Amino acid sequence: MSQNTAATATRPRVFSGVQPSGLPHVGNWLGAFRNYVAMQDGYDAIYCIVDYHALTSTHDAERIRRNTTEMALGLLALGLDPEKAILFRQSDRPEHLELTWLLASVTPVTWVERTPSFKEKKRNQPEDVNFALLSYPVLQAADIAIYKARYVPVGKDQAAHLELAREIVRAWNARYGAVFPEPEAVFTDSPIVKGTDGANKMSKSLGNVVEIFGEEETIRRQVMSMVTDTERIRRTDPGRPQACNVCQLHRQFGTDHEAIWEGERSAATGCVDTKRLLAERMLTTFAEARERHRELSERPGYVEEILRAGAERLAPIARETLRECHERMGLGPR
Ligand code: AQP
């Protein structure tokens, strides 16, 4: 058996979940997924496509299924190796839902009501403020706790959720005994990547992403549309790399960003040159992943096989955690 069996693992355990939102973008990669790939070596890594979570904001069954497959395919193409890490679909392990209930019983309503994402979603989808949306952070805590994971690679936008997950397991441990480790966030050196608008987090829902697996022309167009230093009006004005999203992204796609920044500061180069170079470097960086994505897309059933196998391998851990909880919480016979 070559895939990691988390049940026998002695290495520190890592868990992270990602929304089934289709193909990954550059923000996902820089903020979280490159850590997913890095941590599959040296850690017992478990990654999950969180389709239960998706129900809080979409009720389109076909879209959830398609986007789950696309996200899984994207992760595999980016280097997630099922021989090293476990990748699975959340709804294939319904124990997450039972643990949500058990953790909910120690979670004050005020904790979930104050979550920034709940407030934001209430604003964004006022016609669909469903109960699942409110309980989202408890499910997120359960996703991590069911595998007793210690480390959680995520982008900075998830920091508040992770803090809440820590509080929830702390509350449960305080009442029933120390069963769950308090999970720690692991960030990359670019934990919040701004989108093409240069102002907001790169995010599919804001439509400001740079794709990884799109057509080359689309990627070039997205990069060329990026807002740069808003105070650099004329080509001859000196640029301010610290205020320019394109310059900041150059840090992640080469080792010569200082020289590029100097070109901007001295106005030797213009924003268009700097963007064109960034687009080329991104395409070079992702060339292998894009090729792998093409290959994997031609293997029908491959993703499904990986997701199912991953979920099966996790069954004993999930069930054992619930057994421990039942024992301590007085559920079922002794
Ligand atoms: N812009 C970002 N910078 C740094 N990290 C990011 N992440 C997402 N965007 C950025 C991190 O990527 C992981 C997966 O995120 P997700 O589950 O929210 O997936 P998504 O739907 O693909 O991401 P979006 O586009 O950002 O979603 P929406 O449109 O819903 O806002 C997480 O660890 C996240 O922190």
Side-chain angles (χ1 to χ4, degrees), residues 148-173:
K148 300 188 182 170
R150 186 165 290 281
Y151 299 110
V152 186
V154 278
K156 201 75 184 215
D157 58 315
Q158 291 297 323
H161 280 151
L162 203 76
E163 195 44 47
L164 186 50
R166 288 167 64 84
E167 285 179 60
I168 292 170
V169 303
R170 202 178 300 145
W172 193 96
N173 286 345

Side-chain angles (χ1 to χ4, degrees), residues 70-103:
E70 282 197 352
M71 180 53 84
L73 203 59
L75 284 167
L76 294 165
L78 283 165
L80 206 144
D81 181 352
E83 298 285 318
K84 297 178 176 176
I86 290 179
L87 177 65
F88 75 109
R89 172 176 40 218
Q90 191 182 28
S91 61
D92 287 338
R93 287 267 51 94
E95 293 87 356
H96 290 226
L97 293 184
E98 184 177 345
L99 186 59
T100 302
W101 183 258
L102 306 185
L103 294 178

Side-chain angles (χ1 to χ4, degrees), residues 125-190:
Q125 52 182 70
E127 72 301 334
D128 188 18
V129 184
N130 54 68
F131 178 64
L133 199 55
L134 182 65
S135 58
Y136 187 114
V138 190
L139 176 56
Q140 206 167 24
D143 294 336
I144 303 165
I146 193 103
Y147 306 112
K148 300 188 182 170
R150 186 165 290 281
Y151 299 110
V152 186
V154 278
K156 201 75 184 215
D157 58 315
Q158 291 297 323
H161 280 151
L162 203 76
E163 195 44 47
L164 186 50
R166 288 167 64 84
E167 285 179 60
I168 292 170
V169 303
R170 202 178 300 145
W172 193 96
N173 286 345
R175 189 169 293 268
Y176 296 108
V179 165
F180 301 115
E182 286 184 26
E184 284 173 39
V186 180
F187 299 119
T188 67
D189 63 355
S190 50

Side-chain angles (χ1 to χ4, degrees), residues 19 21 25 27-28 31 154-155 157-158 191 193 201-205:
Q19 294 266 5
S21 56
H25 54 72
N28 296 138
V154 278
D157 58 315
Q158 291 297 323
V193 179
K201 187 195 86 154
M202 187 179 288
S203 156
K204 283 181 191 132
S205 46

